[in-house]
Amino acid sequence: MESNGKSIRLDNVPVDYQTAPVLWGEPGTNGQHSFYQLIHQGTKLIPIDFIGFWEPNHAVGDHHAKLLANVFAQAEALAFGSENKEEPYRNFEGNRPSNIIMIKKLTPYTLGSLIAMYEHKIFVEGVIWNIDSFDQWGVELGKKLATTILDEFNQIPR
């Protein structure tokens, strides 16, 4: 995939705005116990995409319906929040952006479509932010340093 997250624009002027979101994810409800709390009540607004499939690729009993219900419930909670005057730590502001992308079934075609959509999103962000989405100088620096460190490791007697 392309790489945004640059600190210099195409005209060599430093940027004073964020040029890439932090991306991560988890299948099913696994994210609830790792990063959903941050999304619901954290101090930084984090847009989220929920991707769901109407038809599972394997028999899962009623588990699939529960997962789909959770997609819609989490998006609703992010949108509308919940107020609790007695316990302020249980307040959820709401008004936190999310998208629900529902696909009939996961197939090679739909997976390819998702990848193409997110690739195009990165490209468009780069155009808007006036940065080069196709270079990876930070990655190149890491590879160069890793080569040097590997050489040093190989010199350590074992």
Side-chain angles (χ1 to χ4, degrees):
M1 290 193 143
E2 283 67 60
S3 295
N4 288 336
K6 305 303 187 331
S7 58
I8 304 293
R9 298 186 329 203
L10 290 171
D11 56 4
N12 291 322
V13 174
V15 300
D16 60 354
Y17 45 85
Q18 184 174 323
T19 58
V22 175
L23 302 175
W24 71 91
E26 269 300 318
T29 55
N30 295 351
Q32 289 180 172
H33 302 288
S34 54
F35 52 81
Y36 279 27
Q37 181 59 43
L38 171 66
I39 295 166
H40 280 286
Q41 288 184 304
T43 56
K44 181 169 179 56
L45 189 65
I46 302 170
I48 182 171
D49 289 343
F50 294 101
I51 302 171
F53 300 93
W54 288 116
E55 297 176 18
N57 282 345
H58 52 281
V60 290
D62 68 342
H63 187 69
H64 189 71
K66 291 175 183 176
L67 290 173
L68 286 180
N70 210 295
V71 165
F72 289 96
Q74 291 294 339
E76 183 177 333
L78 289 165
F80 301 109
S82 176
E83 185 177 12
N84 187 323
K85 291 180 181 176
E86 292 78 39
E87 300 172 300
Y89 56 89
R90 289 184 183 236
N91 278 332
F92 301 92
E93 288 180 5
N95 200 27
R96 296 188 178 242
S98 68
N99 295 307
I100 299 176
I101 300 168
M102 290 303 301
I103 299 169
K104 183 175 182 180
K105 188 171 185 168
L106 180 61
T107 65
Y109 179 83
T110 58
L111 178 60
S113 297
L114 281 170
I115 292 170
M117 179 186 74
Y118 283 104
E119 284 274 330
H120 185 66
K121 175 184 172 186
I122 300 299
F123 166 76
V124 170
E125 287 171 342
V127 170
I128 292 168
W129 293 325
N130 194 26
I131 59 174
D132 186 350
S133 299
F134 299 96
D135 65 21
Q136 296 186 332
W137 301 117
V139 174
E140 291 300 318
L141 174 59
K143 288 179 181 179
K144 181 179 176 183
L145 294 172
T147 300
T148 302
I149 292 169
L150 182 60
D151 289 342
E152 292 168 355
F153 282 169
N154 288 333
Q155 294 175 17
I156 296 172
R158 301 199 200 315

